[in-house]
């Protein structure tokens, strides 16, 4: 019995842009299991690059919803084959790439509630989605819908006061408005619209999971003060939208017990709780446990860090009473990977050697790299400047690599300072995300911000944060939410 109690755990999931990941954390808050399925590598039949499809217009970016489902199947089967003891799972929670949306077809709820444990999920859900390729956070194709939404509520400032942000192309309300305008038949056949986070939770529940307050605040639809859907915003986006979204819930909510499908196929206990899934950035913060003055930097597919309140460019994520403000940048790891392939023969080792061989400040050479339309600021293209302050077409490969990394971190620091943030003597930077494995990239981060950089024990901070939230939701441990 003692051995059994010692292995009791919670699972944390992350449905991110490029992969699905899971960690198991025991009652001592120690990670003892990690695994992942990478879309480009493990699900090549979907033909994604960086986990997405970039359409011909260069603005529309989508991901196949069944790819996410199949990734979950694969990872669960791998866990089962490894001998993972699902009977010890007390609760689970998770995170999803923010702003992405999933469109459940009329009748899908009946399929969810009657899943056969003899079949994989993706085999049973193939006809359950009215939109097979879902818009994700990298999409920039909804400028017209953004302007329409702002006009409907009295302008960008009014929308920011109401929902926490001015209208952004990637935000879910504007994506829904585009689908309604351009594909009204698919919209009419949609009975439920989920965020990626609530979609993933729905798979585990066997029924539709509600959107949580935190991820809901990235939709341009939620009144952040009252934590209810804004009728003005809903009406500006699409008809009957409130019934398709369902009622939002606090992020610490236990949304139900796990579906009998997982009990019968994998051996989860029937009493295993599902805690509301949330966005990947808030979940990462839960795993990082910031203190006053700290800076969290997540150099991953999209780079992000919390920032102070600004008049229009503030994104509020209020999971449990307090607000976290995010500054997000679209040209993150995918841009670093492109420069790695172009200037370091696809090798991170060669990439690091280039950083080591060049001095801090790069001899005055500076570069900003935006292969897709950036969020902050709104700009596209590659812009290189020599030490003589002249724009140039190219740099030597070592200079190019340092210019990219220094430019990325300088942009973050400059933007934060413009909004009032200051590095204090006690400030430390906590880094997570894929690039936090690279010490040479982290050294540039420390140099630019002038503060020490620490990394958490695992780069999967969204997963770890989700396990903390799973423990906290049903009060399995006396954890204090950091939100």
């Amino acid at each position: 019995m003692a051995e059994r109690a010692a292995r009791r755990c919670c699972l944390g999931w992350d449905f991110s842009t490029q992969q699905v990941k899971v960690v198991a954390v025991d009652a001592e808050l120690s990670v003892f299991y990690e695994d992942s399925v990478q879309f480009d590598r493990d699900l090549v039949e979907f033909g994604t690059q960086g986990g997405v499809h970039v359409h011909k217009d260069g603005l529309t970016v989508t991901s196949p919803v069944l790819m996410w489902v199949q990734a979950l199947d694969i990872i669960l089967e791998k866990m089962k084959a490894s001998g993972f003891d699902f009977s010890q799972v007390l609760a689970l929670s998770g995170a999803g790439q923010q702003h992405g949306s999933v469109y459940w077809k009329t009748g899908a709820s009946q399929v969810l509630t009657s899943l056969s444990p003899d079949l994989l999920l993706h085999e049973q859900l193939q006809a359950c989605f009215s939109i097979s390729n879902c818009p994700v956070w990298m999409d920039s194709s909804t400028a017209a819908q953004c302007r329409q939404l702002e006009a409907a509520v009295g302008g960008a400032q009014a929308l920011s006061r109401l929902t926490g942000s001015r209208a952004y192309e990637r935000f879910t309300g504007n994506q829904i408005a585009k689908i309604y305008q351009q594909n009204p038949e698919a919209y009419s056949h949609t009975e439920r619209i989920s965020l990626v986070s609530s979609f993933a939770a729905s798979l585990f529940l066997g029924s539709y999971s509600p959107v949580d307050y935190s991820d809901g605040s990235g939709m341009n639809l939620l009144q952040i003060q009252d934590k209810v859907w804004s009728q003005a915003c809903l009406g500006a986006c699409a008809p009957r939208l409130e019934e398709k979204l369902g009622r939002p819930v606090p992020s610490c909510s236990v949304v139900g017990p796990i579906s009998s499908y997982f009990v019968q196929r994998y051996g989860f206990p029937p009493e295993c709780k599902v805690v509301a899934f949330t966005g990947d950035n808030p979940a990462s913060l839960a795993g990082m446990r910031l203190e006053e003055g700290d800076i969290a930097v997540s150099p991953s597919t999209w780079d992000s860090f919390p920032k102070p309140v600004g008049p229009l460019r503030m994104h509020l994520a209020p999971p449990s009473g307090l607000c976290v403000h995010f500054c997000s940048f679209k040209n993150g790891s995918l841009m670093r990977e492109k420069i790695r392939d172009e200037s370091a023969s696809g090798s991170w080792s060669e990439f690091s050697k280039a950083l080591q061989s060049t001095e801090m400040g790069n001899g005055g050479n500076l570069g900003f790299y935006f292969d897709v339309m950036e969020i902050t600021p709104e700009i596209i293209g590659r812009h290189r400047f020599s030490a003589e302050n002249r724009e140039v077409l190219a740099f030597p490969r070592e200079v190019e690599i340092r210019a990219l990394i220094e430019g990325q971190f300088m942009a973050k620091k400059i933007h934060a300072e413009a909004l009032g943030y200051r590095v204090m003597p006690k400030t430390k930077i906590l880094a997570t995300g894929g690039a936090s494995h690279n010490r040479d990239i982290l050294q540039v981060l420390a140099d630019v911000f002038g503060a020490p950089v620490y990394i958490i024990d695992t780069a999967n901070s969204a997963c770890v944060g989700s396990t903390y939230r799973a423990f906290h939701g049903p009060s399995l441990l006396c954890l204090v939410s950091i939100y």
Side-chain angles (χ1 to χ4, degrees), residues 59-128:
L59 299 174
T60 304
V61 184
T62 60
S63 289
V65 61
L66 284 173
M67 179 180 71
W68 299 333
V69 179
Q70 192 167 341
L72 177 59
D73 283 331
I74 292 172
I75 205 166
L76 284 167
E77 292 297 312
K78 288 171 67 179
M79 295 175 75
K80 183 179 180 180
S82 74
F84 187 89
D85 190 355
F86 292 100
S87 71
Q88 298 299 303
V89 179
L90 299 167
L92 62 86
S93 189
Q97 53 173 295
Q98 293 182 255
H99 315 300
S101 47
V102 175
Y103 300 79
W104 297 90
K105 197 172 185 178
T106 301
S109 60
Q110 296 177 350
V111 178
L112 272 177
T113 58
S114 56
L115 294 168
S116 169
D118 297 326
L119 298 172
L120 295 170
L121 289 172
H122 78 274
E123 295 173 328
Q124 302 180 70
L125 298 178
Q126 291 192 23
C128 286

Side-chain angles (χ1 to χ4, degrees), residues 14 16-19 21 34 38 280-281 283-285 287-288 295-305 332-334 336-337 348 409 412 429-439 441-442 445 453-465:
D14 182 16
S16 67
T17 310
Q18 300 188 66
Q19 57 190 320
K21 297 171 282 188
E34 297 183 65
Q38 295 186 8
D280 50 2
N281 284 315
S284 291
L285 283 179
M288 300 178 80
I295 300 173
V297 177
S298 178
S300 52
T301 307
W302 71 338
D303 291 349
S304 62
F305 65 99
S333 69
L334 296 180
R336 289 187 288 271
E337 290 167 6
W348 284 119
F409 290 137
K412 294 166 179 55
I429 299 173
L430 280 76
T432 183
S436 64
H437 287 300
N438 190 309
R439 297 185 66 86
I441 290 177
L442 295 185
L445 174 61
V453 174
Y454 299 85
I455 58 174
I456 60 175
D457 293 339
T458 174
N460 297 326
S461 59
C463 289
V464 173

Side-chain angles (χ1 to χ4, degrees), residues 295 297 303-308 327 329 368 376 405-424 427 429 444-451:
I295 300 173
V297 177
D303 291 349
S304 62
F305 65 99
K307 67 182 180 65
C327 187
F329 301 85
F368 298 98
T376 311
I405 301 303
E406 287 190 345
Q408 286 187 329
F409 290 137
M410 286 174 64
K412 294 166 179 55
K413 183 181 181 184
I414 291 168
H415 186 71
E417 289 180 342
L419 294 170
Y421 194 92
R422 295 292 180 267
V423 174
M424 301 186 295
T427 292
I429 299 173
V444 177
L445 174 61
D447 293 341
V448 169
F449 277 83

